[in-house]
Amino acid sequence: MNPHLDFDSAELHRLFMAKADGHISAEDHARLSMMLKTSAEARHQWYAFQDVESALFSWSQQERQRVEEEPALTAPVGAAPARPVRARLTWLLPLAALLAILVMVVNVLRQPAHLSPPKVVTAPLLDEDENEATTTSVALLTRGVNLEWVDAQSSPALNAPLSPGWLKLKAGIAELEFYQGARLVVEGPAEIKLVSAGEAYCVSGRFSAHVPPQARGFRLGTPNGDVVDLGTDFGLDLNSATPEVHVFKGEVELHQPEAQVRMLTTGEAAGFEKSTPARALPASDVAFAFSRDLEARMNESQRQSLVRWEEQGRQWNLDPRLKLRLDFQDPQGSRSLKNSAALGQEVAPGTIVGCIWTQGRWPEKKALQFRSVSDRVRLSLPGTHRQVTMATWVQLHGLNVRQSSLCMSQGIEEGHMHWQILHDGSLCLGVGSGKNPNVRSDDYITPVIFTPERFGQWVHLAVVYDLAGGEVTFYLNGGILSKHPVQTPTELAPVMMELGNWTPSPDKRQQPVRNFAGCMDEFSLYTAALRPDEIRALAE
């Protein structure tokens, strides 16, 4: 029998669609597996089908971004947002483009494998693909002690990549690592502008720098002149009456307007004004904070933060609106999470499936890590509710699936809620509305927040569903992210829920992949609409 002609194409394409949508039966799955195993042509068509489906998804994402970025089509705050990609394809794809893609599908699937030799495609080493993820970051905030930023809402998080621009530190000590290798300790009050991976401009503050050979030429500019490293450890004090540079090891060049470049070596220092020559000083490290000093200071600062969080937690637990609070401080190895809410007795402890214990925001704070499609925490919340607030601390490690669950009701029914991260890095709250069999999802979607720069950072997320006020509000790190009017007035009935995953139907053989890849170290649920100041307190 000819291996290229031992099946019906229409039947094969039906199996493809059933497999892609997750509705394939056991018998059809076995039949499809046998076709792919025994027929090269079937395998060729399967690969082509997957390529086209990926192309459709990629195209729809680009079209969605294009539409959202056109000024004439930009929706005002509070306007009804777009739906997730799969729910919106029929509305997003223009008819002409869809027909063109369908023609391509037919032509590709009709072409026998033996008539389609593989193509060899060459590309430049730097492929300027407009769809490729890019970053403008030049440095990293690695450590901090008692940090107070001038603008708390836009302050960088620890381990946050930093792009060129201003950092304004009101108090505390921050350590920056530049991508070329220089390490800079900044003591506030300080104003510093990151220029590139090897340069910064300082207006005020006290700085100590370690510059390894790989970062030779690192430059710190000031209003009175520039300090250029030649492989050294040095300090720069802009908070004293006269700016001073101190060389602890190695050598630096001091560049001043209308003056010759001055070389400073180990043990030398200089005070420098804008219009007068530098004056010689003996080097002293007494006034400076160094990287070696930060570890002990950080440990004490983190211990104090944990103590404050524990004290606040005892107050939060007494809130009568709080139905569920998981603090993730259960015994090491525990396979359940206690509910700390004093008046949440009707809510059972969460059951851990697959996740492993790890460190949370501080060394003595615990968290759960979600790694695979199996990992989840099973919860239940009885009753129906006109108002719900959910809040959590998460550390996202990546976006490798189309939708990543934060907290999702099992199934899709009226009143079910699905809080998730979409593939593009935006947040979505989906609420089931309508009666079976016509249940649909009203989706509320935020701007994109999870870009590669945010992977690995601890962030505080919250969402408020307020049927009484007719509004859905999303929060990021205590600040309002976006607001949306309620589409269909529906009371929430979460019933069975999962943190970090989703089970649409327990008896379904093929389950969609919705697993969260990252860590979570706190989760709270209130049957009330918390105010902005209350959300901010949870995030501090």
Side-chain angles (χ1 to χ4, degrees):
M1 180 180 294
N2 186 335
H4 299 298
L5 301 174
D6 55 357
F7 58 83
D8 179 73
S9 291
E11 171 67 0
L12 186 63
H13 300 161
R14 182 188 68 80
L15 295 174
F16 286 176
M17 294 300 297
K19 174 66 175 176
D21 290 340
H23 298 300
I24 193 168
S25 66
E27 294 76 10
D28 283 346
H29 192 274
R31 176 169 167 74
L32 176 59
S33 298
M34 181 59 66
M35 286 182 176
L36 296 176
K37 181 177 180 181
T38 58
S39 171
E41 174 63 11
R43 291 192 295 272
H44 166 69
Q45 294 197 25
W46 172 241
Y47 297 144
F49 176 84
Q50 289 181 312
D51 288 342
V52 170
E53 187 186 32
S54 297
L56 277 168
F57 177 71
S58 176
W59 189 91
S60 67
Q61 291 284 70
Q62 295 174 42
E63 186 68 7
R64 172 188 175 187
Q65 182 178 358
R66 181 188 66 77
V67 171
E68 290 175 344
E69 290 177 351
E70 285 188 16
L73 298 180
T74 301
V77 173
R83 298 173 66 83
V85 172
R86 279 197 175 276
R88 298 186 298 111
L89 280 178
T90 56
W91 303 101
L92 279 178
L93 296 176
L95 181 59
L98 180 58
L99 290 175
I101 292 175
L102 291 176
V103 170
M104 181 183 71
V105 173
V106 173
N107 289 336
V108 169
L109 296 183
R110 283 180 175 176
Q111 184 177 10
H114 64 280
L115 295 180
S116 180
K119 295 181 180 180
V120 178
V121 179
T122 60
L125 292 178
L126 267 179
D127 185 6
E128 297 182 359
D129 183 356
E130 64 179 11
N131 297 316
E132 183 178 6
T134 61
T135 179
T136 60
S137 55
V138 296
L140 183 73
L141 176 60
T142 52
R143 295 190 289 183
V145 178
N146 301 326
L147 296 177
E148 293 183 38
W149 301 94
V150 173
D151 185 0
Q153 289 299 321
S154 60
S155 61
L158 289 181
N159 299 312
L162 304 172
S163 295
W166 286 100
L167 294 175
K168 297 183 179 181
L169 184 62
K170 185 187 300 183
I173 301 174
E175 182 181 57
L176 311 180
E177 291 185 357
F178 288 76
Y179 285 0
Q180 287 188 2
R183 186 166 63 245
L184 189 67
V185 175
V186 183
E187 186 174 3
E191 289 189 37
I192 176 174
K193 183 179 183 181
L194 305 185
V195 178
S196 70
E199 183 179 357
Y201 182 80
C202 309
V203 174
S204 62
R206 194 173 285 122
F207 310 86
S208 67
H210 170 70
V211 185
Q214 298 87 345
R216 178 184 173 90
F218 178 71
R219 178 184 292 263
L220 285 182
T222 79
N224 293 354
D226 296 353
V227 177
V228 179
D229 158 75
L230 299 178
T232 185
D233 291 326
F234 70 89
L236 176 64
D237 187 356
L238 298 181
N239 286 346
S240 58
T242 300
E244 298 177 357
V245 57
H246 297 249
V247 181
F248 309 123
K249 180 180 179 181
E251 56 186 6
V252 302
E253 292 177 346
L254 178 59
H255 296 249
Q256 291 180 274
E258 302 179 2
Q260 287 187 336
V261 175
R262 178 167 179 173
M263 185 74 69
L264 300 173
T265 61
T266 302
E268 295 183 334
F272 58 102
E273 298 283 0
K274 181 179 294 185
S275 57
T276 59
R279 54 188 176 84
L281 298 169
S284 173
D285 62 3
V286 174
F288 297 93
F290 295 91
S291 181
R292 62 178 179 268
D293 304 325
L294 290 186
E295 195 65 31
R297 297 191 188 191
M298 277 195 64
N299 289 340
E300 176 59 22
S301 175
Q302 291 173 337
R303 187 193 68 79
Q304 293 176 1
S305 295
L306 180 61
V307 170
R308 287 195 299 270
W309 174 79
E310 290 173 336
E311 292 173 351
Q312 291 172 333
R314 285 190 282 271
Q315 297 299 316
W316 293 333
N317 292 341
L318 299 176
D319 191 326
R321 303 168 299 174
L322 181 65
K323 297 303 177 184
L324 175 66
R325 180 168 181 262
L326 307 176
D327 60 14
F328 290 77
Q329 290 296 77
D330 303 82
Q332 190 69 29
S334 174
R335 304 314 293 167
S336 65
L337 297 174
K338 69 179 183 296
N339 180 11
S340 300
L343 300 179
Q345 297 92 340
E346 72 273 23
V347 181
T351 298
I352 301 171
V353 179
C355 308
I356 63 171
W357 287 98
T358 187
Q359 179 181 303
R361 287 170 281 160
W362 310 295
E364 296 182 24
K365 177 72 182 71
K366 297 177 184 176
L368 279 182
Q369 182 175 356
F370 298 76
R371 302 168 300 166
S372 74
V373 296
S374 305
D375 296 351
R376 66 198 70 208
V377 174
R378 299 273 289 174
L379 301 166
S380 60
L381 180 68
T384 58
H385 310 280
R386 292 179 56 81
Q387 297 175 316
V388 165
T389 298
M390 293 183 286
T392 184
W393 280 96
V394 297
Q395 183 188 69
L396 182 66
H397 293 168
L399 288 169
N400 56 357
V401 294
R402 295 186 180 181
Q403 290 154 270
S404 302
S405 166
L406 292 171
C407 179
M408 297 178 67
S409 296
Q410 179 175 292
I412 303 177
E413 302 290 343
E414 183 180 21
H416 283 187
M417 61 185 191
H418 299 133
W419 190 24
Q420 56 196 314
I421 306 171
L422 301 183
H423 186 267
D424 64 355
S426 59
L427 299 176
C428 173
L429 178 69
V431 177
S433 63
K435 301 292 185 180
N436 283 327
N438 297 317
V439 177
R440 67 178 186 279
S441 180
D442 291 340
D443 297 317
Y444 308 91
I445 302 174
T446 73
V448 171
I449 61 168
F450 283 109
T451 58
E453 285 85 356
R454 264 212 170 93
F455 294 169
Q457 296 180 34
W458 283 108
V459 298
H460 187 267
L461 305 176
V463 61
V464 176
Y465 180 85
D466 183 6
L467 189 56
E471 197 167 54
V472 176
T473 308
F474 292 87
Y475 292 81
L476 172 65
N477 291 330
I480 293 177
L481 176 60
S482 62
K483 292 185 176 184
H484 314 263
V486 170
Q487 298 175 32
T488 306
T490 305
E491 292 191 350
L492 295 184
V495 195
M496 190 66 67
M497 305 177 293
E498 290 182 344
L499 301 182
N501 224 312
W502 183 48
T503 301
S505 176
D507 56 357
K508 190 175 181 181
R509 291 180 60 88
Q510 294 287 330
Q511 303 283 3
V513 176
R514 296 287 187 270
N515 67 292
F516 170 76
C519 299
M520 183 180 293
D521 85 345
E522 190 174 0
F523 179 85
S524 301
L525 190 152
Y526 297 76
T527 52
L530 266 60
R531 303 186 308 271
D533 61 307
E534 293 176 313
I535 299 291
R536 188 162 52 251
L538 294 178
E540 291 177 347

